[in-house]
Amino acid sequence: MSLHPTPVLKESPSQTAGPYVHIGMTPNFCGITGVIDADLGLTMLTPDTVGERIVISGRVIDGSGAPVSDAVLELWQADAEGSFSAPMGPNSNSAPAFSGWGRQPTQPDGSFTFETIKPGRVDGPDGKPMAPHVSLWIVARGINIGLQTRLYFSDEAEANAGDFVLNKIMDPRRRETLIARKEEGAVPRYVLDIHLQGDKETVFFDI
Amino acid sequence: MSGIILPGADGALFQRDRDWHPAADTPGYKSTTFRAPRHSLLALGPTKSETSGPTFGHEKLGELDNDLIRNYSQDGTEAIGQRMIVYGQVLDENARPVPGTLVEYWQANAGGRYRHKKEGYLAALDPNFGGFGRSITDENGFYHFRTVKPGAYPWPNRGNDWRPAHIHFSIFGHAFAQRLITQMYFEGDPMIWQCPIVATINDKAAIDQLTAKLDRHNTTPMDALAYRFDIVLRGRRSTMFENKLEGN
């Protein structure tokens, strides 16, 4: 017998989320109110969340330079200690102090904003800690299968330089497509535009 | 003991078969033209960031969240259309059920019109149909919901394209890299075979996997037809055991 059994089923093939993904994933945002109280993932923080408050924002831009106004982004990250949120049982009714997961629609100008905390470092496959990062997933009309990428932080230059994933990207100019620019303020803001195509095309992953 | 797969095993995910999935750039579906990345995807074996994922057990689902016939009713009137139960099992590639995971679904109304301000189709809007619902899979990975059959509708891809009746699905699984959005089509629908979005999938067997089967046994007499739609998420290798070398 093998420790690595061959899959017996095929993964269901992906299809585009279509132009109306907001109906299904952020129904209140597109005016379908009264079905669920609040769109899932709008809020990642609670007063009990430990960690440095930050804002992550940017725009999604297509290959013609136009804003992608009909996308949904999801963000998944570790907490300030570098741990991922403990799974909650199906019957548990207590919210975790930090969900680690956020979901935001893009606005008419293609912009998105997440209010979260700066993640801690997570051990990489090589046993060394990866640089602080968040995972992003983007779906929209015209995207046949969700795009996976990461956002890193410009004020973590040393950690970034040793990061297992960033170092897989041979072209340093392309590596820059994953590094969000820090803007100082009462709450630090990290800005990263996601380019689906073109000279500044974001590095997307086959995970 | 080798070969035994423990429930909740957290081994690495199987590689995604991207020939089974649609390619990013599919010219027959024009919206991909400016939205398909041109560079190859960078291969990245899943790390903890991708083999972990959000859970939603702590979210209280509303009683009507999985009843699209009633969950947007403005005055107690039920949605108009052919009444249906859609159900199925969420599995992984090892055929293990995926319990406790969030499944979201959205669709057009019986006339084929979406409740969306950008919707341009002339068909009537049903004031009592929102078109959104959600479930969390049970201990055996099953979900179910009640709705009306969505209509086919035109879209401006090549001037006179029509989408077959379909329901959009979003499924989480237990790892962020299992995240999947897909669409369910209906067995026997001739519209499936002329749709440019369906045709982004190359393999007929893969399209069949997205085609729900009519299930006579689970119909509700004098009320609703039943369709079964199973969904398969990425599987994982088994966790290595300390004594893994024994017997190998």
Side-chain angles (χ1 to χ4, degrees):
Chain A
M1 292 176 93
S2 168
L3 278 168
H4 303 290
T6 305
V8 296
L9 299 175
K10 297 290 284 183
E11 186 185 9
S12 296
S14 175
Q15 291 275 261
T16 177
Y20 305 128
V21 58
H22 291 160
I23 292 175
M25 294 170 69
T26 56
N28 289 288
F29 173 75
C30 73
I32 298 175
T33 56
V35 180
I36 60 173
D37 292 340
D39 292 339
L40 273 186
L42 279 188
T43 309
M44 299 176 68
L45 302 172
T46 69
D48 298 328
T49 305
V50 174
E52 181 195 3
R53 266 61 177 169
I54 63 169
V55 171
I56 286 174
S57 67
R59 295 171 74 215
V60 184
I61 297 159
D62 75 12
S64 71
V68 178
S69 60
D70 55 359
V72 167
L73 271 70
E74 290 184 8
L75 181 157
W76 173 240
Q77 68 166 88
D79 66 16
E81 305 297 318
S83 297
F84 288 96
S85 183
M88 306 297 292
N91 299 317
S92 169
N93 203 24
S94 60
F98 177 60
S99 69
W101 176 79
R103 173 190 276 174
Q104 295 289 339
T106 52
Q107 304 292 327
D109 65 353
S111 66
F112 60 87
T113 302
F114 291 92
E115 293 178 14
T116 183
I117 53 166
K118 188 93 173 279
R121 299 183 72 166
V122 175
D123 284 344
D126 58 358
K128 296 182 204 153
M130 295 185 280
H133 66 275
V134 303
S135 297
L136 292 172
W137 184 73
I138 301 131
V139 292
R141 169 179 63 89
I143 297 176
N144 286 333
I145 181 165
L147 296 169
Q148 295 261 5
T149 187
R150 285 186 176 191
L151 177 150
Y152 287 84
F153 300 90
S154 63
D155 55 351
E156 299 283 351
E158 191 181 331
N160 291 344
D163 182 77
F164 168 81
V165 172
L166 286 175
N167 283 322
K168 283 179 175 281
I169 305 167
M170 292 303 144
D171 182 344
R173 292 166 301 180
R174 296 214 72 216
R175 213 175 292 161
E176 290 300 313
T177 68
L178 304 186
I179 299 175
R181 177 182 80 248
K182 184 176 187 180
E183 292 179 357
E184 300 289 351
V187 177
R189 174 180 292 267
Y190 294 89
V191 181
L192 184 72
D193 289 339
I194 293 169
H195 293 265
L196 302 182
Q197 253 181 29
D199 294 344
K200 300 176 187 168
E201 182 178 309
T202 299
V203 174
F204 298 105
F205 296 113
D206 188 3
I207 291 169
Chain B
M1 99 153 250
S2 62
I4 296 170
I5 299 162
L6 294 177
D10 60 354
L13 290 152
F14 292 128
Q15 184 183 354
R16 206 159 225 170
D17 180 355
R18 289 188 180 266
D19 293 329
W20 185 253
H21 289 285
D25 188 7
T26 48
Y29 170 29
K30 287 184 181 175
S31 294
T32 64
T33 301
F34 287 119
R35 295 186 169 195
R38 296 291 176 219
H39 289 267
S40 298
L41 300 178
L42 183 77
L44 172 63
T47 74
K48 268 186 200 169
S49 300
E50 293 82 25
T51 53
S52 55
T55 55
F56 299 93
H58 54 283
E59 299 282 348
K60 270 281 187 201
L61 262 55
E63 190 185 338
L64 296 179
D65 281 6
N66 69 340
D67 187 357
L68 280 69
I69 291 178
R70 290 196 295 157
N71 72 12
Y72 192 75
S73 175
Q74 303 302 298
D75 58 3
T77 306
E78 299 196 334
I80 292 168
Q82 184 191 78
R83 297 156 73 87
M84 299 192 315
I85 298 158
V86 177
Y87 82 103
Q89 196 175 19
V90 181
L91 302 158
D92 70 14
E93 289 173 291
N94 292 315
R96 292 179 295 203
V98 182
T101 199
L102 182 67
V103 180
E104 297 164 298
Y105 24 86
W106 64 100
Q107 63 170 90
N109 71 21
R113 181 158 165 175
Y114 283 100
R115 179 168 292 282
H116 196 282
K117 58 179 185 287
K118 289 186 180 167
E119 167 67 280
Y121 184 32
L122 299 170
L125 202 55
D126 178 348
N128 297 305
F129 186 76
F132 161 74
R134 59 183 184 174
S135 303
I136 287 182
T137 55
D138 70 14
E139 66 274 19
N140 296 312
F142 278 94
Y143 71 90
H144 65 96
F145 62 97
R146 216 164 66 124
T147 187
V148 293
K149 187 172 181 182
Y153 60 81
W155 59 303
N157 187 54
R158 294 177 300 197
N160 187 25
D161 279 317
W162 290 70
R163 301 266 10 246
H166 65 277
I167 300 176
H168 296 265
F169 277 76
S170 157
I171 313 100
F172 279 82
H174 296 161
F176 199 56
Q178 284 180 310
R179 202 71 184 80
L180 182 71
I181 283 187
T182 190
Q183 299 181 32
M184 175 192 124
Y185 304 101
F186 291 85
E187 179 180 22
D189 184 349
M191 305 291 285
I192 292 171
W193 304 107
Q194 52 73 57
C195 172
I197 287 178
V198 174
T200 61
I201 302 171
N202 281 324
D203 192 322
K204 184 174 181 300
I207 294 171
D208 283 341
Q209 195 178 356
L210 297 185
T211 308
K213 305 296 182 284
L214 178 66
D215 176 3
R216 286 276 300 171
H217 295 295
N218 279 301
T219 55
T220 308
M222 303 303 289
D223 182 349
L225 285 174
Y227 282 88
R228 177 161 182 160
F229 182 56
D230 293 340
I231 299 162
V232 181
L233 302 180
R234 291 174 71 181
R236 289 179 170 195
R237 296 193 181 106
S238 56
T239 305
M240 290 294 194
F241 297 103
E242 286 183 16
N243 61 346
K244 65 187 177 189
L245 295 178
E246 292 175 21
N248 274 3

